[in-house]
Amino acid sequence: MTAEALRGPRDPFVDQAAGAAVKAADRAHVFHSWSAQGLLDPLAVAGAEGSYFWDYEGNRYLDFTSGLVFTNIGYQHAVVVAAIQEQAGKLASFAPAFAIEARSEAARLIASHTPGDLDKIFFTNGGAEAVENAVRLARVHTGRTKVLSAYRSYHGATSTAINLTGDPRRWASDTGSAGVVRFWAPFLYRSPFYATTETEECARALQHLEDTIAFEGPGTIAAIVLETIPGTAGIMTPPPGYLPGVREICDRHGIVFVLDEVMAGFGRTGKWFAADHDEVVPDLMTFAKGVNSGYVPLGGVAINAEIAATFETRPYPGGLTYSGHPLACAAAVATIRVMEEEKVVERAARLGETVLGPGLRELAERHPSVGEVRGVGAFWALELVRNGETREPLVPYNATGEAAAPMAAFGAAAKKRGLWPFVNMNRTHVVPPCTVSDAEALEGLAALDEALTVADDYTV
Ligand code: PLP
């Protein structure tokens, strides 16, 4: 273990020369995701523990982003780190065609928590590959090609997954011919259906989906892919009845129902899976991130009995060199056991009910820039607006540069107060580790309170 890794989050670490070297090599050689490389100025991070990380300059940040919403049990959990080390000593790597202990046990544990008969697990290296394979499973199973997804969505950056994605990151890679048709899922605050109640929004969204299917031709549609609670797109919990309604529509038309739980799964919403809130069982469910808190890349698809049966005697036409990698699976086994033993799912539920929900609603009452607070568990969004009446977003959709300045100013203010915020378009998402303590969460809310005064300056 390096010296910096041994240091605790409350022990400021200063080694500017080391930080400068890390930064210089990064700027010379690392090509980063989603970025204009020449405009980047990444923070050099020296270490992390629990809900905090720290740089080389003596600054420590409370992480309200959980990385990219994946460290559900926090950074450097000793049990998971030890399990990875032990697996590395035992069997660091092995081909996917064999039965190995870590993979078998990870699949068994995951299946013990997935809803209904989602009992077979196909492992991938991350979320996008999970979505790719869910679509492949659905297409081969149904013999149909078209896939429906929602505009307000993110499903990953590989070819099919980015074409399924609704957010603007799709535009540069949109082939327009990947067999994807997008529709509007419910979002009452910015209702695409001019609805004013959740009941109206639910009924109209389901009718819109019915109409889309009718005009696309039900017999051409292999799957509907939805995030159970859309994450990056804004944490919009669907109105009661929507997901059961989609389930019923899929059943009626022989369409495979895929729920993407890459972000919402593994405790984030205060249930093992967000689908558990509505007691909905999809045909396929994708997962990644929280399955092992991102300690080693891992994702997968949980497959129901009917689709698994399709591939009992017929080969599945897909695979990956590292499917079910031993280190990733050992990390998943340890993470899931930690989640069971430390009641991480229950803690996330309580955190949402008693700390984050009330705390964020209280902030909304005092800050005119907060248009809506929504979420559950450790999965919350503040919709920031210029004007509470008109609901005009604080920055325009997909704004960059000067147009995005209010959100940049808000983010900078939070960081100055020791809080690392998740900023996306006109929203900040409050997505700390599910294990964040009440005191840490309150510290974060106090920093948000101050940062929101900066956002308030842009309201009219
Ligand atoms: N699906 C959802 C819902 C996600 O939030 C993400 C990533 O944020 C993905 C898929 C893609 O996962 P990955 O980045 O591991 O490929």
Side-chain angles (χ1 to χ4, degrees):
M1 218 183 258
T2 60
E4 59 266 34
L6 286 168
R7 286 168 190 267
R10 285 165 216 285
D11 185 7
F13 175 75
V14 182
D15 186 343
Q16 288 174 329
V22 168
K23 184 83 159 274
D26 178 283
R27 296 322 302 120
H29 302 295
V30 178
F31 195 93
H32 286 264
S33 309
W34 306 120
S35 304
Q37 306 298 311
L39 304 181
L40 280 178
D41 184 23
L43 183 76
V45 172
E49 189 182 300
S51 306
Y52 294 89
F53 64 87
W54 52 94
D55 63 15
Y56 291 85
E57 314 263 344
N59 303 307
R60 139 189 113 98
Y61 297 95
L62 174 61
D63 187 0
F64 260 23
T65 71
S66 295
L68 285 174
V69 200
F70 58 76
T71 53
N72 290 5
I73 61 165
Y75 293 105
Q76 296 300 111
H77 194 295
V79 171
V80 181
V81 171
I84 297 166
Q85 287 167 335
E86 194 188 324
Q87 183 66 40
K90 211 156 70 179
L91 187 66
S93 170
F94 216 79
F98 297 83
I100 61 163
E101 187 188 2
R103 188 184 299 135
S104 302
E105 183 59 2
R108 189 189 71 74
L109 278 174
I110 292 165
S112 76
H113 289 291
T114 48
D117 62 346
L118 295 165
D119 287 336
K120 285 267 169 83
I121 310 298
F122 178 75
F123 285 113
T124 64
N125 301 302
E129 285 177 353
V131 172
E132 294 282 334
N133 281 282
V135 170
R136 180 179 287 136
L137 282 158
R139 284 179 170 157
V140 178
H141 175 72
T142 59
R144 306 171 180 175
T145 51
K146 209 177 283 172
V147 186
L148 264 53
S149 67
Y151 273 107
R152 293 189 193 274
S153 70
Y154 181 72
H155 294 291
T158 53
S159 178
T160 304
I162 199 68
N163 273 276
L164 284 165
T165 290
D167 94 16
R169 282 176 288 179
R170 181 189 81 249
W171 297 346
S173 311
D174 194 338
T175 58
S177 62
V180 174
V181 172
R182 272 164 296 272
F183 62 97
W184 293 100
F187 178 25
L188 184 58
Y189 187 72
R190 300 195 181 283
S191 172
F193 311 110
Y194 304 99
T196 53
T197 66
E198 289 215 310
T199 313
E200 259 177 18
E201 182 74 356
C202 180
R204 293 178 190 183
L206 286 172
Q207 187 58 50
H208 163 69
L209 180 57
E210 284 274 22
D211 292 345
T212 305
I213 291 169
F215 277 71
E216 288 295 331
T220 69
I221 300 167
I224 294 175
V225 181
L226 278 177
E227 290 171 79
T228 314
I229 298 177
T232 314
I235 313 188
M236 295 89 77
T237 306
Y242 181 71
L243 292 173
V246 178
R247 172 72 278 181
E248 188 276 320
I249 289 172
C250 286
D251 287 343
R252 199 153 21 88
H253 296 297
I255 295 170
V256 172
F257 187 16
V258 182
L259 280 179
D260 184 346
E261 293 252 0
V262 166
M263 191 178 278
F266 285 96
R268 175 64 43 199
T269 71
K271 298 271 188 193
W272 275 92
F273 295 96
D276 299 340
H277 289 283
D278 297 275
E279 293 180 9
V280 167
V281 183
D283 301 304
L284 298 170
M285 195 165 79
T286 56
F287 63 85
K289 299 191 188 257
V291 63
N292 63 9
S293 262
Y295 282 34
V296 185
L298 183 69
V301 189
I303 306 166
N304 77 359
E306 187 191 330
I307 297 176
T310 295
F311 301 100
E312 272 303 294
T313 53
R314 173 181 175 184
Y316 172 58
L320 298 155
T321 296
Y322 302 128
S323 177
H325 192 281
L327 293 182
C329 286
V333 169
T335 299
I336 294 169
R337 290 197 181 130
V338 161
M339 288 177 70
E340 290 170 349
E341 277 157 29
E342 297 184 11
K343 303 217 171 306
V344 171
V345 181
E346 294 82 348
R347 280 163 68 181
R350 197 198 59 81
L351 181 75
E353 278 159 26
T354 65
V355 184
L356 291 181
L360 292 171
R361 280 190 281 268
E362 195 272 325
L363 289 182
E365 275 168 27
R366 286 188 290 106
H367 291 283
S369 59
V370 180
E372 188 180 53
V373 176
R374 50 178 184 265
V376 63
F379 204 35
W380 292 83
L382 298 186
E383 181 97 13
L384 303 188
V385 292
R386 257 182 209 286
N387 183 300
E389 290 289 307
T390 64
R391 302 186 179 183
E392 182 192 346
L394 195 67
V395 299
Y397 188 71
N398 203 30
T400 53
E402 217 16 65
M407 289 306 292
F410 160 80
K415 286 173 193 170
K416 217 166 135 195
R417 286 155 184 82
L419 178 73
W420 201 268
F422 187 108
V423 174
N424 186 285
M425 298 203 191
N426 69 313
R427 299 178 308 273
T428 185
H429 294 185
V430 175
V431 285
C434 303
T435 49
V436 72
S437 72
D438 287 5
E440 291 166 346
L442 291 171
E443 174 190 321
L445 290 174
L448 262 186
D449 190 3
E450 290 183 43
L452 284 169
T453 60
V454 173
D456 290 343
D457 288 342
Y458 294 91
T459 57
V460 289

